[in-house]
Amino acid sequence: MVFPERKKPGICSVILLVVLFAHYSHGFYLPGSYMHTYSTSDTIFAKVNSLTSIETELPFGYYSLPYCKPLGGIKKSAENLGELLMGDQIDNSPYRFRMNVNESLYLCTTSPLSEHEVNLLKQRTRDLYQVNMILDNLPVMRIAKQNGVNIQWTGFPVGYTPPNSNDDYIINHLKFKVLVHEYEGTGVQIIGTGEEGMGVISEADQKKASGFEIVGFEVIPCSVKYDPEVMTKLHMYDSISLVNCPLELDKSQIIRERERISFTYEVEFVKSDIKWPSRWDAYLKMEGARVHWFSILNSLMVITFLAGIVFVIFLRTVRRDLTRYEELDKEAQAQMNEELSGWKLVVGDVFREPDCPKLLCVMIGDGVQITGMAAVTIVFAAFGFMSPASRGMLLTGMIILYLFLGTAAGYAAVRLWRTLKGTSEGWRSVSWSVACFFPGIVFVILTVLNFILWGSKSTGTIPISLYFLLLSLWFCVSVPLTLLGGFLGTRAEPIQYPVRTNQIPREIPAHKYPSWLLVLGVGALPFGTLFIELFFILSSIWLGRFYYVFGFLLIVLLLLVIVCAEVSVVLTYMHLCVEDWRWWWKAFFASGSVALYVFLYSINYLVFDLQSLSGPVSAILYLGYSMIMAIAIMLSTGTIGFITSFYFVHNLFSSVKID
């Protein structure tokens, strides 16, 4: 989405305005962008985004190809942080529309194509690059027929290559259909949060607001061969006769050296019953992006059922152990300790300091930060604040939340550090490590990927100015807030252990199987709650499909938290039962190991679902971003499992009578 010079309102401002205006409004709608109404003959210019391809995943600027340029020159639209990071580059275009005026117009004729331009057009055509055009904040939609079924896509191809042919043909004539809905001012209060900032249409503005709304934007792309001698006599926006898309190749515009390509388009306005709040429905219900509800719900019910059985069995077992232990007198307890093995025998070692305690604290702190960011973002998205019309808003919101949740990260890490060490000494080092650990990993990976994108001259390259902005946000916002959280952690009371730790560690009996094998294996259970939803998320990222079922994603997140907690607690109890008191890291990786399955699934998706992805550069980009996602999931799920296991062990040994 394109943002104007004025500052974009925050989420808190939106909530405040909704509350303030609620007492006199007839109804509200938060579509993500302010509603525009146009009068007949009003001029509207389309905008163009970066060229994209599911084969390379490398975006390129629209004007990197020899397309017609606007009369006033190319002007880049203001972009938010999320749009820049996603590689969006929104520019103005020469495509002019006049409300309710059907016309067929000439744009321009290129100079004779050079060898470089021909090679570039052929490469972009064969890599299946799509032109992404925007009108009134709606992306253009193309409807194609495959096997008798209408399939909807956003954008249209740069060109096409006929089967069994070495020739390529460029799309140079566009037949636009703009769907409009007549708005007459019904007294509905409409609030927008996007392109024009905040805005309210009140009853006093009904007359002014009356007009036509754009509720659909469709295109039929054609390749038409024109006579350049005739076309060069025309000027931009001169009328031409209507064009029928030719089926014969000899009447289509071939891409070859010294050819002069003429670009034309025609516009048809069609009245529609679709209302403004529903105009995005056609995009969100596109073929291939529908969630298979039955399959997903079935999977979730199975996972919930299995997790419930494990949890019930586990509760009964612990309760039986505690009941038997508490009913005995002290002499019988001592005799039982001598005769029996199990979690009761590690009472003097269960809270012994783990290996690498500082690293554990740092990972828990970062996990708290990532989990909080994900939870708040998904909740706001589920309530409709992250509209698809607001391009980049989701990513921008996640970054801002991550920065301000540094306080929670520092607090959690330092409080755990105090609990493990019994002192606040070294809290600054812990806080700095929390502030630099995960962002540092992301920064290194993004830098490597950015050099790759820079070498490919892609618009996905992060500009140096944005690098400095991200570094400024990191060290001027995130680091101070993390240090503040760490300071607050030093003032909080450390968690007191219910039992004393022996001076000499207890010997751990030999196991028949490696305990880490079990730790890695149980990650399959929480992965079972994710993998179907993960498919749609990956399709949204890499295949250009819209993902907007955040309500269901919120349910999946809640279920994932429950399953991670259960899996980690059960595995911790199993290790304590075999007298293995080194449970700290195992509790973390029991649920955190789901990240391994996510990364392996990402590789599987690359091999079997992204078969069109071509070249090592695209594969490296994909794997780099997948690695960032997997590390974030490991820290988040590992933290959920560890915190649950910690309080479980604390409560378990608090229930035992110790001399």
Side-chain angles (χ1 to χ4, degrees):
M1 172 178 177
V2 183
F3 288 90
E5 292 299 322
R6 81 172 78 170
K7 292 184 179 178
K8 185 176 63 173
I11 290 174
C12 293
S13 304
V14 176
I15 297 174
L16 180 61
L17 283 173
V18 169
V19 172
L20 289 176
F21 288 112
H23 69 281
Y24 67 81
S25 66
H26 298 281
F28 282 96
Y29 172 59
L30 285 85
S33 64
Y34 185 69
M35 184 184 73
H36 292 275
T37 56
Y38 302 94
S39 300
T40 299
S41 298
D42 278 358
T43 301
I44 317 148
F45 281 93
K47 296 178 181 179
V48 286
N49 204 338
S50 300
L51 306 174
T52 55
S53 167
I54 61 173
E55 284 216 348
T56 66
E57 300 297 344
L58 298 172
F60 290 98
Y62 175 80
Y63 292 108
S64 63
L65 296 181
Y67 286 127
C68 301
K69 295 177 175 59
L71 290 175
I74 301 170
K75 297 175 184 177
K76 296 187 183 300
S77 299
E79 294 172 328
N80 60 36
L81 182 60
E83 287 177 305
L84 290 171
L85 288 173
M86 291 190 299
D88 286 350
Q89 181 178 306
I90 301 175
D91 303 314
N92 60 334
S93 83
Y95 288 93
R96 185 198 70 185
F97 299 78
R98 291 189 295 171
M99 177 58 69
N100 285 333
V101 177
N102 298 339
E103 51 192 349
S104 183
L105 303 174
Y106 165 79
L107 274 183
C108 75
T109 300
T110 66
S111 54
L113 294 179
S114 65
E115 181 182 359
H116 171 71
E117 289 173 328
V118 168
N119 291 336
L120 198 58
L121 280 170
K122 283 179 169 287
Q123 186 66 42
R124 297 289 180 264
T125 297
R126 298 194 176 191
D127 284 340
L128 304 182
Y129 270 87
Q130 302 283 314
V131 178
N132 299 294
M133 198 171 287
I134 304 164
L135 182 68
D136 192 43
N137 207 33
L138 275 181
V140 69
M141 179 188 294
R142 173 172 57 96
I143 301 176
K145 215 164 218 186
Q146 290 185 5
N147 300 323
V149 179
N150 286 335
I151 298 180
Q152 300 173 145
W153 302 92
T154 53
F156 57 89
V158 169
Y160 65 93
T161 305
N164 305 318
S165 174
N166 291 323
D167 294 327
D168 302 289
Y169 296 84
I170 190 171
I171 298 297
N172 64 332
H173 180 74
L174 302 173
K175 301 168 76 74
F176 291 110
K177 182 165 75 171
V178 181
L179 305 180
V180 295
H181 179 78
E182 189 169 2
Y183 176 74
E184 297 177 350
T186 58
V188 176
Q189 307 278 345
I190 299 181
I191 290 184
T193 60
E195 191 170 32
E196 297 296 333
M198 287 300 301
V200 178
I201 298 178
S202 64
E203 292 188 19
D205 297 326
Q206 283 179 16
K207 286 187 178 179
K208 183 180 177 181
S210 297
F212 295 93
E213 311 156 347
I214 295 176
V215 295
F217 185 34
E218 300 175 5
V219 67
I220 299 175
C222 308
S223 180
V224 181
K225 184 172 180 59
Y226 293 105
D227 183 354
E229 298 299 327
V230 175
M231 302 304 286
T232 49
K233 295 177 182 178
L234 300 174
H235 299 90
M236 186 176 284
Y237 305 127
D238 281 352
S239 296
I240 61 172
S241 57
L242 293 176
V243 176
N244 292 320
C245 293
L247 299 178
E248 301 85 358
L249 292 179
D250 59 342
K251 295 182 180 179
S252 301
Q253 180 60 60
I254 194 170
I255 301 173
R256 65 185 172 200
E257 214 169 330
R258 310 305 301 169
E259 282 284 327
R260 302 188 69 183
I261 301 173
S262 296
F263 289 91
T264 57
Y265 71 102
E266 57 189 78
V267 185
E268 179 189 8
F269 285 86
V270 178
K271 289 191 177 181
S272 170
D273 292 330
I274 299 172
K275 294 185 178 179
W276 171 270
S278 304
R279 70 176 193 158
W280 275 90
D281 290 357
Y283 299 87
L284 304 182
K285 296 177 181 178
M286 293 175 71
E287 188 69 28
R290 295 175 182 172
V291 178
H292 303 286
W293 289 97
F294 177 79
S295 176
I296 294 177
L297 289 175
N298 180 64
S299 175
L300 291 176
M301 285 189 290
V302 170
I303 292 297
T304 307
F305 180 70
L306 291 176
I309 291 177
V310 172
F311 199 52
V312 168
I313 293 173
F314 162 73
L315 282 178
R316 291 183 60 186
T317 304
V318 174
R319 186 174 298 173
R320 186 183 63 227
D321 279 355
L322 283 175
T323 303
R324 287 178 57 198
Y325 197 80
E326 294 298 334
E327 286 176 352
L328 300 175
D329 56 25
K330 292 183 179 179
E331 291 184 5
Q333 285 182 18
Q335 183 180 359
M336 184 178 179
N337 285 340
E338 293 177 1
E339 294 177 356
L340 299 178
S341 61
W343 60 270
K344 297 170 288 295
L345 296 183
V346 296
V347 67
D349 298 273
V350 70
F351 291 107
R352 190 175 300 281
E353 183 181 305
D355 297 331
C356 306
K358 182 179 177 181
L359 179 61
L360 179 64
C361 294
V362 169
M363 294 176 77
I364 294 301
D366 279 328
V368 167
Q369 194 171 8
I370 294 168
T371 304
M373 173 197 70
V376 175
T377 301
I378 293 173
V379 167
F380 273 100
F383 282 98
F385 287 97
M386 304 293 184
S387 168
S390 304
R391 295 174 185 84
M393 185 178 177
L394 185 66
L395 186 55
T396 304
M398 290 174 68
I399 293 172
I400 293 173
L401 283 170
Y402 183 85
L403 292 174
F404 285 98
L405 284 170
T407 306
Y411 177 86
V414 171
R415 192 174 184 204
L416 179 59
W417 175 255
R418 287 194 69 199
T419 301
L420 295 176
K421 292 291 187 179
T423 176
S424 298
E425 187 177 351
W427 71 269
R428 290 183 182 85
S429 175
V430 172
S431 298
W432 268 100
S433 299
V434 170
C436 297
F437 181 71
F438 179 68
I441 293 173
V442 174
F443 185 79
V444 169
I445 294 176
L446 286 182
T447 301
V448 173
L449 297 181
N450 204 50
F451 275 113
I452 294 173
L453 289 168
W454 178 74
S456 302
K457 299 180 180 179
S458 167
T459 60
T461 306
I462 300 175
I464 190 68
S465 57
L466 183 57
Y467 252 105
F468 283 114
L469 174 62
L470 292 174
L471 286 172
S472 300
L473 290 173
W474 183 4
F475 287 103
C476 298
V477 179
S478 182
V479 171
L481 287 177
T482 307
L483 290 170
L484 173 62
F487 175 75
L488 296 175
T490 62
R491 294 293 181 265
E493 285 294 324
I495 302 171
Q496 300 296 328
Y497 295 144
V499 294
R500 293 188 301 271
T501 301
N502 298 334
Q503 292 184 349
I504 302 174
R506 180 184 179 86
E507 183 179 355
I508 299 174
H511 301 311
K512 295 181 180 179
Y513 54 89
S515 59
W516 283 102
L517 192 62
L518 181 61
V519 169
L520 295 176
V522 296
L525 189 58
F527 177 71
T529 67
L530 273 181
F531 77 98
I532 294 179
E533 200 65 23
L534 187 61
F535 170 81
F536 292 104
I537 293 173
L538 291 176
S539 297
S540 171
I541 296 172
W542 299 107
L543 295 180
R545 296 170 181 169
F546 285 98
Y547 182 88
Y548 205 61
V549 284
F550 290 106
F552 189 80
L553 186 60
L554 179 62
I555 298 173
V556 172
L557 176 65
L558 294 173
L559 187 59
L560 178 66
V561 169
I562 295 171
V563 175
C564 284
E566 291 174 345
V567 163
S568 186
V569 167
V570 170
L571 201 73
T572 299
Y573 179 71
M574 290 174 62
H575 280 97
L576 293 178
C577 285
V578 295
E579 302 175 37
D580 186 352
W581 45 266
R582 296 173 301 186
W583 59 272
W584 304 82
W585 282 105
K586 291 167 185 173
F588 181 90
F589 284 111
S591 53
S593 61
V594 67
L596 174 64
Y597 293 89
V598 169
F599 189 70
L600 292 176
Y601 182 81
S602 299
I603 295 175
N604 173 81
Y605 186 85
L606 171 65
V607 174
F608 295 103
D609 293 285
L610 284 182
Q611 294 176 350
S612 60
L613 202 66
S614 60
V617 172
S618 303
I620 291 171
L621 288 173
Y622 175 85
L623 292 175
Y625 291 126
S626 297
M627 180 67 73
I628 293 174
M629 179 178 66
I631 293 172
I633 290 174
M634 179 196 70
L635 293 172
S636 177
T637 55
T639 297
I640 293 167
F642 174 83
I643 292 176
T644 309
S645 293
F646 179 85
Y647 282 103
F648 160 72
V649 173
H650 189 279
N651 291 331
L652 178 63
F653 284 91
S654 298
S655 304
V656 178
K657 295 177 182 177
I658 303 295
D659 292 333

